[in-house]
Amino acid sequence: MEAPHSPAAEKAVAGSARLSIESPVQMQDLGRRLAKLLRPGDLVMLTGELGAGKTTLTRGLGEGLGVRGAVTSPTFVIARVHPSLTGGPALVHVDAYRLGGGLDEMEDLDLDVSLPESVVVVEWGEGKVEDLSEDRLHVVIHRVVGDTEDDRREVVLRGYGERWAELDLA
């Protein structure tokens, strides 16, 4: 749930799509396809249960952007920067799970400095990073909960701001 007090969070959804994903391979492929829409300055927020596929999606984004280094969960280092191998934007991959202080704590990471020339992807960023940019892509991944090996996911893409108004997210 987005922070109701945040002006950026109150901005209307510019575009949205709902997708069914059947496997981790499809989740990674979704990341590669979304990477084609991304450009420097884009903020992508990922929301979902543990094991939903946030890092798998980000791995696909990294492949699609052509960045250096293996994209793995930055849970214990909080943020990783993957420079571009193709002259495109770097991928800044942040895991805000352990950060509880909202934007104040996030400011210590200097994401506002990285944002203009990079694609910044924040796992667990809901309620914490909306004020970094009026334009953002919010990806919500729903999975079957409980003790199951069901790989199906329902993915909701929501673009906020002018940047996403003209793009077809489906």
Side-chain angles (χ1 to χ4, degrees), residues 122-158:
V122 184
E123 297 186 29
W124 304 98
E126 192 171 12
K128 299 174 184 173
V129 298
E130 288 88 346
D131 288 332
L132 282 175
S133 176
E134 290 184 5
D135 300 307
R136 66 187 180 281
L137 178 63
H138 189 179
V139 180
V140 181
I141 306 170
H142 300 282
R143 71 173 183 91
V144 176
V145 293
D147 188 18
T148 180
E149 293 184 23
D150 192 338
D151 285 334
R152 289 178 295 159
R153 305 291 191 264
E154 193 74 19
V155 178
V156 179
L157 307 171
R158 286 189 206 110

Side-chain angles (χ1 to χ4, degrees), residues 112-126:
D112 55 336
V113 173
S114 300
L115 189 58
E117 68 271 355
S118 305
V119 170
V120 176
V121 177
V122 184
E123 297 186 29
W124 304 98
E126 192 171 12

